Amino acid sequence: MKIQESEEMYLETIYVLKMKSANVHAVDVASELNYSRPSVSRAMGLLKNKGYITFDASRGISLTEEGKKRAQSVYVKHEVITWLFVKMGASESLAEENACRIEHVISDEMFEVLKKFSEKC
């Protein structure tokens, strides 16, 4: 997995977890992704250094404006692509699995085509 894809996956996961609970910690991200805590801790450090997340006093994770922007972008791609695959006849799990892969590599131009198409359906 490329670094950008990995960053986006972590940011999207934090974003989704934040929609469920205001308090998100690295252990929550590790649990959600089924990754080791040390791997997630390292990734969180890298995201913090790049200015995508911050930590509060209890080590809770917050997305910065830039982090939230990137996370929302990936999340929208995931939702639209999953919806289209389901609409085409794929099972929810198959659609989810493949959307997770595609959302990181699809060009913005191609995604806009898919998004416009989905709005017509």
Side-chain angles (χ1 to χ4, degrees):
M1 182 178 296
K2 294 180 184 176
I3 292 172
Q4 180 179 342
E5 291 172 26
S6 178
E7 286 175 359
E8 289 175 347
M9 179 192 56
Y10 281 112
L11 292 170
E12 180 187 20
T13 300
I14 294 164
Y15 182 75
V16 169
L17 289 171
K18 294 285 277 179
M19 286 192 289
K20 297 175 188 175
S21 172
N23 298 314
V24 175
H25 295 84
V27 67
D28 304 316
V29 176
S31 177
E32 182 72 18
L33 295 173
N34 200 27
Y35 285 2
S36 72
R37 289 163 107 179
S39 294
V40 172
S41 291
R42 182 178 184 283
M44 295 302 106
L46 294 172
L47 292 175
K48 181 179 184 282
N49 289 342
K50 290 186 175 189
Y52 296 128
I53 64 170
T54 59
F55 294 103
D56 63 23
S58 70
R59 298 294 293 160
I61 301 167
S62 293
L63 293 164
T64 63
E65 282 304 312
E66 184 62 27
K68 187 174 182 180
K69 181 179 168 185
R70 282 192 66 195
Q72 286 175 324
S73 173
V74 176
Y75 180 75
V76 168
K77 287 178 183 178
H78 180 93
E79 291 294 300
V80 169
I81 295 168
T82 299
W83 183 86
L84 282 170
F85 285 164
V86 169
K87 191 81 169 163
M88 292 166 53
S91 68
E92 186 74 29
S93 63
L94 182 63
E96 286 275 341
E97 177 185 331
N98 282 276
C100 281
R101 292 187 198 137
I102 293 168
E103 68 196 22
H104 302 291
V105 295
I106 192 169
S107 71
D108 290 340
E109 182 180 13
M110 187 66 222
F111 176 69
E112 286 304 314
V113 170
L114 289 178
K115 189 174 174 186
K116 285 179 185 174
F117 179 78
S118 74
E119 291 166 357
K120 295 177 184 177
C121 293

